[in-house]
Amino acid sequence: MYSNYQKHLSEWGNFDVDDVVIEALSRLNAPVWRRQRLYDGFDYIIVDEMHLFNRNEQSVFHYLTRDFNLKDIPICFAIDYAQAFGDYGETENDYAFNGFGSSINNSLATVFRNSPEIADFCAAIAASGTLMFQTDFVNPYNDYVQTAFTTSDEKKCLPPSLFMYPDEESMLDGLKKQLECIHKTVQCKANDIAIIVFDDKYSNDDFARMLSKKIDKNIAFIDNSMDVMKCEGYVLLTPYGINGLEFKGVILLGVDEGRVPQITGVSEISQHYVRYMAFNQLYLASSRAKYALSIMGSSVNGKSSCLEHAIENEKINVEDMIIR
């Protein structure tokens, strides 16, 4: 598999990210850059979302400071392991904690952007996946949690809800009603509402145009978070494109068994990882919602097993939609 991967990279004229980073590291450790660091290096480095960098990428920060003789790197970074794609939340041997010399670790209280009900649902998703993580998984809901919601904020809130439709077509037909409900309650602009899709066939411009015709409103597929503010309609995103973003309302489209977690094309060896990724994506996508969170799925596939804990503990309303 690795040989085929390298062959395809060569045929397409592309490079693996790790290969690029390792090449950069060799140059950053060369005598020329060591001399230049005195003039072009940084006095202090601040990194947000450190969990999005892999170990090789994290090691690049060593070579960006002004003084290459420093044993303790002058760097401050923030980590949220609950949002780390592909990371099992294991921190004991994590390079971010052990690769920068002596360090000071500050665990901060969590202040959620979400309504209390959405935060409770996100907590249920995090708790569902915890058994899959190693023993020192950092759960953001274990420590002191704060909310900054006011009385006027609470009036805009809708409880997290799962809507199960008879089939795929009726689920897509029901999107317009869900969008109108959020609009009426939250009183926001179209680009304050995100539709986050959990099916690869949904993540393209053609699907966005089809949905636009179906609801008679503009929907734009966005694969770059910098373009969200420019969007004049509803925003269509994948779970991989939402880090750092927040919306007043969020709709998760295509959340049902078989898609969350994915079943087709998954070997027995990778089932555990795929299921972990499903929890991770659900948590990340749901936590983007401030006032309203609606989850839509098809009853043909059945309710997602990733939602079982949240449903059993009444952290989400469940409605079986009957289309007449």
Side-chain angles (χ1 to χ4, degrees), residues 198-314:
F198 284 77
D199 193 319
D200 289 341
K201 66 185 179 184
Y202 294 163
S203 56
N204 54 70
D205 291 322
D206 290 338
F207 182 74
R209 284 192 287 268
M210 184 276 289
L211 282 185
S212 296
K213 292 180 180 178
K214 189 177 285 288
I215 70 170
D216 197 28
K217 299 285 185 181
N218 185 48
I219 297 177
F221 175 65
I222 302 294
D223 57 4
N224 184 339
S225 61
M226 297 299 292
D227 293 331
V228 170
M229 296 302 295
K230 303 175 186 176
C231 181
E232 296 180 356
Y234 298 112
V235 180
L236 187 73
L237 293 157
T238 69
Y240 296 99
I242 56 178
N243 262 312
L245 297 176
E246 69 174 59
F247 298 89
K248 293 182 179 178
V250 168
I251 295 175
L252 309 187
L253 190 64
V255 177
D256 43 44
E257 193 70 8
R259 289 189 280 205
V260 184
Q262 178 185 343
I263 294 176
T264 56
V266 176
S267 68
E268 185 176 344
I269 296 173
S270 60
Q271 282 180 2
H272 181 83
Y273 177 79
V274 169
R275 187 167 176 80
Y276 159 73
M277 286 291 290
F279 279 118
N280 185 267
Q281 291 179 353
L282 264 180
Y283 170 81
L284 186 57
S286 300
S287 65
R288 303 300 103 185
K290 185 173 183 178
Y291 298 115
L293 174 66
S294 296
I295 301 176
M296 303 174 67
S298 168
S299 294
V300 172
N301 299 327
K303 296 182 182 70
S304 168
S305 56
C306 293
L307 296 173
E308 286 178 357
H309 180 74
I311 293 173
E312 290 173 1
N313 288 274
E314 300 181 343

Side-chain angles (χ1 to χ4, degrees), residues 51 81 84-90 94 133 137 273 276-277 280:
H51 52 270
Y81 275 104
F85 280 127
D87 193 314
Y88 276 72
E90 199 276 316
D94 196 295
F133 304 130
F137 169 71
Y273 177 79
Y276 159 73
M277 286 291 290
N280 185 267

